[in-house]
Amino acid sequence: VALCTQHHALLQRKLHMTQLAVARLVAQATAGMAAVAAAVAGWGVWALVVQQYVDYLLLGALLWAFEPWRPGRPRRNVQLGELVRFGGFFTISNVVYFLAGNADKVLVGYAFGREALGLYSQAFALMMKPVDFLTRPITDVMLPGLSRAAHDPTAYRQLVYAFYRLVAVVTVPCGVGLAIVAPEVMF
């Protein structure tokens, strides 16, 4: 996975979403077929291991084929400040999101016990499935856009506002729908 991270990031930054989607779909479909073949051959649980490795290896090979960048010798006097600053803000926001997103679980477990925490975690995971399903592709496009607009504060601000508006428009109906069917789904 680490061998294709740079290629994935470069394809994302260039907004080559079709190539990324093709690579993911081909790798997952081929891995699925390999897992079925391994299961039919009697490999048992090892079929799942085959699936993971075929998926990773094929995805890596396809990303290397689609993105021409190749690693080279390190260069001196490269201006890394802007890159580190942008990456630092992104990293800090992820850490804050992680802490805020898990504080409730710690509090529920502490206050109400393991059983309540289990039910709460399942309900929360169920609620977040459609949200993640809808916002992940938006985020995959938004981050490269923000990266490109980092030098233009006006364009950057407009992209951020557009992102939050789009996420709200997409997730509010999900929330309403989940509120309506929550009792049946949780049962």
Side-chain angles (χ1 to χ4, degrees):
V1 175
L3 288 175
C4 62
T5 301
Q6 184 65 35
H7 292 81
H8 185 274
L10 289 170
L11 287 168
Q12 250 187 335
R13 182 178 169 101
K14 294 174 184 176
L15 298 176
H16 291 183
M17 298 305 164
T18 302
Q19 290 176 322
L20 286 169
V22 166
R24 284 185 190 132
L25 287 173
V26 168
Q28 288 175 354
T30 306
M33 290 186 285
V36 169
V40 168
W43 288 28
V45 72
W46 289 100
L48 297 174
V49 175
V50 167
Q51 181 180 13
Q52 287 295 306
Y53 279 101
V54 169
D55 186 17
Y56 290 147
L57 291 171
L58 189 54
L59 180 63
L62 288 170
L63 291 177
W64 273 70
F66 289 150
E67 173 54 48
W69 176 85
R70 297 296 179 258
R73 290 181 177 257
R75 292 178 280 161
R76 295 187 184 269
N77 299 327
V78 175
Q79 301 294 328
L80 295 177
E82 293 177 31
L83 183 62
V84 171
R85 192 174 322 110
F86 182 81
F89 287 132
F90 183 67
T91 301
I92 289 170
S93 71
N94 279 335
V95 169
V96 169
Y97 179 78
F98 174 80
L99 293 174
N102 289 301
D104 58 337
K105 293 173 187 72
V106 172
L107 294 173
V108 167
Y110 181 75
F112 300 106
R114 292 188 309 230
E115 291 82 14
L117 176 60
L119 289 172
Y120 177 80
S121 295
Q122 288 302 319
F124 187 82
L126 182 64
M127 174 192 72
M128 290 306 292
K129 276 283 192 219
V131 173
D132 288 342
F133 181 74
L134 294 170
T135 57
R136 186 153 300 152
I138 296 170
T139 304
D140 284 349
V141 172
M142 195 61 196
L143 286 176
L146 288 175
S147 163
R148 286 182 168 192
H151 300 297
D152 183 1
T154 304
Y156 189 86
R157 193 175 309 109
Q158 288 174 343
L159 281 172
V160 169
Y161 290 147
F163 173 68
Y164 284 122
R165 276 193 306 270
L166 181 59
V167 168
V169 166
V170 168
T171 57
V172 167
C174 287
V176 171
L178 284 171
I180 292 169
V181 300
E184 292 83 9
V185 171
M186 283 307 296
F187 181 72

